[in-house]
Coordinates of all heavy atoms in Angstrom, one line a residue:
S1 N -105.0 241.5 18.5 CA -104.1 240.8 19.4 C -104.8 239.7 20.2 O -106.0 239.8 20.4 CB -103.4 241.8 20.4 OG -102.6 242.6 19.7
I2 N -104.1 238.7 20.6 CA -104.8 237.6 21.4 C -104.1 237.5 22.7 O -104.4 236.6 23.5 CB -104.6 236.2 20.6 CG1 -103.1 235.9 20.3 CG2 -105.4 236.3 19.3 CD1 -102.9 234.6 19.7
S3 N -103.2 238.4 23.1 CA -102.6 238.4 24.4 C -102.2 239.8 24.8 O -102.1 240.7 24.0 CB -101.4 237.5 24.4 OG -100.4 237.9 23.5
Y4 N -101.9 240.0 26.1 CA -101.5 241.3 26.6 C -100.1 241.7 26.0 O -99.9 242.9 25.6 CB -101.4 241.3 28.1 CG -102.7 241.6 28.8 CD1 -103.4 240.7 29.4 CD2 -103.1 243.0 28.8 CE1 -104.6 241.0 30.1 CE2 -104.3 243.3 29.4 CZ -105.1 242.3 30.1 OH -106.2 242.6 30.7
I5 N -99.2 240.7 25.8 CA -97.9 241.1 25.2 C -97.8 240.1 24.0 O -97.8 238.9 24.1 CB -96.8 240.8 26.2 CG1 -96.9 241.7 27.4 CG2 -95.4 241.0 25.5 CD1 -95.9 241.6 28.4
S6 N -97.7 240.7 22.8 CA -97.8 240.0 21.6 C -96.5 239.1 21.4 O -95.4 239.5 21.8 CB -97.9 240.9 20.4 OG -97.7 240.2 19.1
D7 N -96.7 237.9 20.9 CA -95.5 237.0 20.6 C -94.6 237.6 19.6 O -93.4 237.3 19.6 CB -96.0 235.7 20.1 CG -96.8 234.9 21.1 OD1 -96.6 235.1 22.3 OD2 -97.6 234.0 20.7
S8 N -95.1 238.6 18.8 CA -94.2 239.2 17.8 C -93.4 240.4 18.3 O -92.6 240.9 17.6 CB -95.0 239.6 16.6 OG -96.0 240.5 16.9
A9 N -93.7 240.8 19.6 CA -93.0 242.0 20.1 C -91.6 241.6 20.4 O -91.2 240.5 20.8 CB -93.7 242.4 21.4
K10 N -90.7 242.6 20.2 CA -89.3 242.3 20.5 C -88.9 243.2 21.7 O -88.9 244.4 21.6 CB -88.4 242.7 19.3 CG -88.7 241.9 18.1 CD -87.8 242.2 16.9 CE -88.2 241.4 15.7 NZ -87.4 241.8 14.5
I11 N -88.6 242.6 22.8 CA -88.3 243.2 24.1 C -86.9 243.0 24.5 O -86.4 241.9 24.6 CB -89.3 242.7 25.1 CG1 -90.8 243.1 24.7 CG2 -89.0 243.4 26.5 CD1 -91.8 242.5 25.6
G12 N -86.2 244.1 24.8 CA -84.8 244.0 25.1 C -84.5 243.5 26.5 O -85.4 243.0 27.2
E13 N -83.2 243.6 26.8 CA -82.8 243.1 28.1 C -83.1 244.0 29.3 O -83.1 245.3 29.1 CB -81.3 242.8 28.1 CG -80.9 241.7 27.1 CD -79.3 241.5 27.1 OE1 -78.7 242.1 27.9 OE2 -78.9 240.6 26.4
N14 N -83.4 243.5 30.4 CA -83.6 244.2 31.6 C -84.8 245.2 31.5 O -84.9 246.3 32.2 CB -82.4 245.1 32.1 CG -81.2 244.2 32.3 OD1 -81.3 243.1 32.9 ND2 -80.0 244.5 31.7
V15 N -85.8 244.8 30.7 CA -87.0 245.7 30.6 C -88.0 245.3 31.7 O -88.2 244.0 31.9 CB -87.6 245.5 29.2 CG1 -89.0 246.2 29.1 CG2 -86.7 246.0 28.1
V16 N -88.6 246.2 32.3 CA -89.6 246.0 33.4 C -90.9 246.3 32.8 O -91.2 247.5 32.4 CB -89.3 246.8 34.6 CG1 -90.4 246.6 35.7 CG2 -88.0 246.4 35.3
I17 N -91.8 245.4 32.8 CA -93.2 245.6 32.3 C -94.2 245.2 33.4 O -94.3 244.1 33.9 CB -93.5 244.7 31.1 CG1 -92.6 245.1 29.9 CG2 -95.0 244.9 30.6 CD1 -92.8 244.3 28.6
Q18 N -94.8 246.3 33.9 CA -95.7 246.1 35.1 C -97.0 245.5 34.7 O -97.4 245.5 33.5 CB -95.9 247.5 35.7 CG -94.7 248.2 36.3 CD -94.2 247.5 37.6 OE1 -93.8 246.4 37.7 NE2 -94.4 248.3 38.7
P19 N -97.8 245.0 35.7 CA -99.1 244.3 35.4 C -100.0 245.3 34.6 O -100.1 246.5 34.8 CB -99.6 244.0 36.8 CG -98.4 243.9 37.6 CD -97.5 244.9 37.1
G20 N -100.8 244.6 33.7 CA -101.8 245.4 33.0 C -101.3 246.0 31.7 O -102.1 246.7 31.0
V21 N -100.0 246.0 31.4 CA -99.5 246.6 30.2 C -100.0 245.8 28.9 O -99.9 244.6 28.9 CB -98.0 246.7 30.2 CG1 -97.4 247.1 28.9 CG2 -97.6 247.7 31.4
F22 N -100.3 246.6 27.9 CA -100.6 245.9 26.6 C -99.5 246.3 25.6 O -99.2 247.5 25.5 CB -101.9 246.4 26.0 CG -102.1 246.0 24.6 CD1 -102.5 244.7 24.3 CD2 -102.0 246.9 23.6 CE1 -102.6 244.3 23.0 CE2 -102.1 246.5 22.3 CZ -102.5 245.2 21.9
V23 N -98.9 245.3 25.0 CA -97.8 245.5 24.0 C -98.3 244.8 22.7 O -98.5 243.6 22.7 CB -96.5 244.9 24.5 CG1 -95.4 245.1 23.4 CG2 -96.0 245.5 25.8
G24 N -98.5 245.6 21.7 CA -99.1 245.1 20.4 C -98.2 244.4 19.5 O -97.0 244.2 19.8
N25 N -98.7 244.0 18.4 CA -97.9 243.3 17.4 C -96.7 244.0 16.9 O -96.9 245.3 16.6 CB -98.9 242.9 16.2 CG -100.0 242.0 16.6 OD1 -99.9 241.0 17.3 ND2 -101.2 242.5 16.2
N26 N -95.6 243.4 16.8 CA -94.4 243.9 16.2 C -93.8 245.2 16.9 O -93.0 245.9 16.3 CB -94.7 244.3 14.7 CG -95.2 243.1 13.9 OD1 -94.6 242.0 14.0 ND2 -96.3 243.3 13.3
V27 N -94.2 245.4 18.1 CA -93.6 246.5 18.9 C -92.2 246.1 19.3 O -91.9 244.9 19.5 CB -94.5 246.7 20.2 CG1 -93.8 247.6 21.2 CG2 -95.8 247.3 19.8
T28 N -91.4 247.1 19.4 CA -90.0 246.9 19.9 C -89.8 247.8 21.1 O -90.2 248.9 21.1 CB -88.9 247.2 18.8 OG1 -89.0 248.6 18.5 CG2 -89.1 246.3 17.6
I29 N -89.1 247.2 22.1 CA -88.8 248.0 23.4 C -87.3 247.7 23.6 O -86.9 246.6 23.8 CB -89.7 247.6 24.6 CG1 -91.2 247.7 24.2 CG2 -89.3 248.4 25.8 CD1 -92.1 247.2 25.3
G30 N -86.6 248.9 23.8 CA -85.1 248.8 24.0 C -84.7 248.4 25.4 O -85.6 248.4 26.4
D31 N -83.5 248.1 25.6 CA -82.9 247.6 26.9 C -83.2 248.6 28.0 O -83.2 249.8 27.8 CB -81.4 247.4 26.8 CG -81.1 246.3 25.8 OD1 -81.9 245.6 25.4 OD2 -79.9 246.3 25.4
N32 N -83.4 248.1 29.2 CA -83.5 248.9 30.5 C -84.6 249.8 30.5 O -84.6 250.8 31.3 CB -82.2 249.6 30.7 CG -80.9 248.8 30.6 OD1 -80.9 247.7 31.3 ND2 -79.9 249.2 29.7
S33 N -85.7 249.6 29.7 CA -86.8 250.5 29.8 C -87.8 250.0 30.9 O -87.8 248.8 31.2 CB -87.5 250.6 28.4 OG -86.7 251.2 27.5
I34 N -88.6 250.9 31.4 CA -89.6 250.6 32.4 C -91.0 251.0 31.9 O -91.2 252.2 31.6 CB -89.3 251.3 33.7 CG1 -87.9 250.9 34.3 CG2 -90.4 250.9 34.8 CD1 -87.5 251.6 35.5
I35 N -91.9 250.1 31.8 CA -93.3 250.4 31.3 C -94.2 250.1 32.5 O -94.4 249.0 32.9 CB -93.6 249.5 30.1 CG1 -92.5 249.4 29.1 CG2 -94.9 250.0 29.5 CD1 -92.1 250.8 28.5
H36 N -94.8 251.2 33.0 CA -95.6 251.1 34.2 C -97.1 250.6 33.9 O -97.5 250.5 32.8 CB -95.7 252.4 35.0 CG -94.4 252.7 35.7 ND1 -94.1 252.1 36.9 CD2 -93.3 253.4 35.4 CE1 -92.9 252.5 37.3 NE2 -92.4 253.3 36.4
A37 N -97.8 250.3 35.0 CA -99.1 249.6 34.9 C -100.0 250.3 33.9 O -100.2 251.5 33.8 CB -99.7 249.5 36.2
N38 N -100.7 249.4 33.1 CA -101.9 249.9 32.2 C -101.5 250.7 31.0 O -102.3 251.4 30.4 CB -103.0 250.5 33.1 CG -103.5 249.6 34.1 OD1 -103.7 248.4 33.9 ND2 -103.7 250.2 35.3
V39 N -100.2 250.8 30.7 CA -99.7 251.5 29.5 C -100.2 250.6 28.3 O -100.1 249.4 28.4 CB -98.2 251.7 29.5 CG1 -97.7 252.1 28.1 CG2 -97.8 252.7 30.6
A40 N -100.6 251.2 27.3 CA -100.9 250.6 26.0 C -100.0 251.0 24.9 O -100.0 252.2 24.6 CB -102.4 250.8 25.6
I41 N -99.3 250.1 24.3 CA -98.4 250.4 23.1 C -99.0 249.6 21.9 O -98.9 248.4 21.9 CB -97.0 250.0 23.4 CG1 -96.5 250.6 24.8 CG2 -96.1 250.3 22.3 CD1 -95.1 250.1 25.2
Y42 N -99.5 250.4 21.0 CA -100.2 249.8 19.8 C -99.2 249.2 18.8 O -98.0 249.4 18.9 CB -101.0 250.9 19.1 CG -102.3 251.3 19.8 CD1 -102.4 251.2 21.2 CD2 -103.4 251.7 19.1 CE1 -103.6 251.6 21.8 CE2 -104.6 252.1 19.7 CZ -104.7 252.1 21.0 OH -105.8 252.5 21.6
D43 N -99.7 248.5 17.9 CA -98.9 247.7 16.9 C -97.9 248.6 16.2 O -98.1 249.7 15.9 CB -99.8 247.2 15.8 CG -100.8 246.1 16.3 OD1 -100.8 245.7 17.5 OD2 -101.6 245.6 15.5
N44 N -96.7 247.9 16.1 CA -95.6 248.4 15.2 C -94.8 249.6 15.8 O -93.9 250.1 15.2 CB -96.0 248.8 13.8 CG -96.8 247.6 13.1 OD1 -96.2 246.6 13.0 ND2 -98.0 247.9 12.7
C45 N -95.2 250.1 17.0 CA -94.5 251.2 17.6 C -93.2 250.9 18.1 O -92.9 249.7 18.4 CB -95.4 251.9 18.7 SG -96.9 252.7 18.1

């Protein structure tokens, strides 16, 4: 990855992503989810 949140990630509406979170390539996150600080979500999850 070249960024904390990959350009290929698909993030739904009203998602809260706190500072320091890593979201890998091709990750999907559904609506209204909350991802707290320093969580790491690897590719394709």
Side-chain angles (χ1 to χ4, degrees):
S1 293
I2 58 173
S3 60
Y4 273 106
I5 299 178
S6 172
D7 291 339
S8 62
K10 297 178 181 179
I11 298 173
E13 297 181 358
N14 303 315
V15 172
V16 176
I17 297 180
Q18 296 283 69
V21 169
F22 170 76
V23 179
N25 300 309
N26 306 309
V27 166
T28 61
I29 302 175
D31 297 345
N32 306 311
S33 292
I34 302 175
I35 314 298
H36 285 280
N38 302 320
V39 168
I41 305 174
Y42 286 30
D43 292 359
N44 305 308
C45 290

